[in-house]
Amino acid sequence: MRPGARRPLLAGGALLLALALAGCSDSDSGSGSGSGSGGESGPELTVGGAYMPQPLAADMAAGFLTVTNKGGTDDALTAVSSELAEKVTLHETVDRSMREVREFPVPAGGRLRLASGGSHLMFEGISRKPEQGEKVPVKLTFEKSGTLTVRLPVKSATYQPRER
């Protein structure tokens, strides 16, 4: 095959992949209207402000972050995992009482904020206490967007992020 002959094949393959992915996002839009208007975009997630306070307990830690959804479709954080912990659970705090939840919604055009004193990630059965300055890899699994991997910087136990 001559050197330039692969370019049309690669371009055609990329086009087919893009069309297949676009088809998947349309069917997952959750609009349920059946109108096929196509005006609604899928979730567009970004993660910011992520951190883990240096754990005080030998077997537990907390994690905080903000997920922003600039897309036109709701999504939900449904699972979290990390090599640091046996399991990572989702917790919300209501009236000073903490409880485990199955998922956190990430509204279209909105955000999910996990912050100290409120909703958070709970790392249970940690294998070691991470040190300040270290970055802990964490996999966030979303209902529609799949998995995103983020690195939570370990901050001092008393760290308080600035409000944005």
Side-chain angles (χ1 to χ4, degrees):
M1 189 177 282
R2 22 179 255 278
R6 285 189 168 179
R7 285 190 192 128
L9 290 175
L10 291 175
L15 178 60
L16 286 174
L17 179 61
L19 290 172
L21 290 174
C24 289
S25 65
D26 285 345
S27 66
D28 291 339
S29 68
S31 65
S33 66
S35 66
S37 65
E40 194 172 305
S41 67
E44 295 176 28
L45 306 181
T46 57
V47 178
Y51 74 98
M52 172 185 283
Q54 188 170 20
L56 300 175
D59 62 343
M60 297 185 93
F64 307 104
L65 50 83
T66 299
V67 180
T68 302
N69 182 356
K70 293 183 180 179
T73 302
D74 294 345
D75 207 340
L77 177 62
T78 58
V80 181
S81 63
S82 174
E83 294 176 3
L84 179 67
E86 290 176 14
K87 70 179 184 172
V88 183
T89 54
L90 310 174
H91 284 89
E92 68 179 4
T93 303
V94 178
D95 297 329
R96 295 186 175 182
S97 178
M98 185 174 67
R99 69 177 182 162
E100 187 174 339
V101 295
R102 296 179 63 100
E103 65 181 32
F104 285 127
V106 186
R111 71 178 71 190
L112 162 64
R113 185 167 183 262
L114 304 182
S116 183
S119 297
H120 58 280
L121 305 176
M122 182 64 70
F123 294 74
E124 301 175 36
I126 60 175
S127 56
R128 60 181 177 76
K129 287 173 75 171
E131 297 295 322
Q132 190 172 334
E134 184 178 341
K135 291 185 179 180
V136 177
V138 176
K139 290 183 180 181
L140 307 172
T141 303
F142 295 90
E143 181 178 64
K144 296 176 183 160
S145 299
T147 301
L148 292 175
T149 300
V150 296
R151 296 170 59 83
L152 276 61
V154 179
K155 304 287 188 175
S156 73
T158 58
Y159 174 75
Q160 293 294 318
R162 291 188 303 223
E163 291 289 324
R164 294 166 105 180

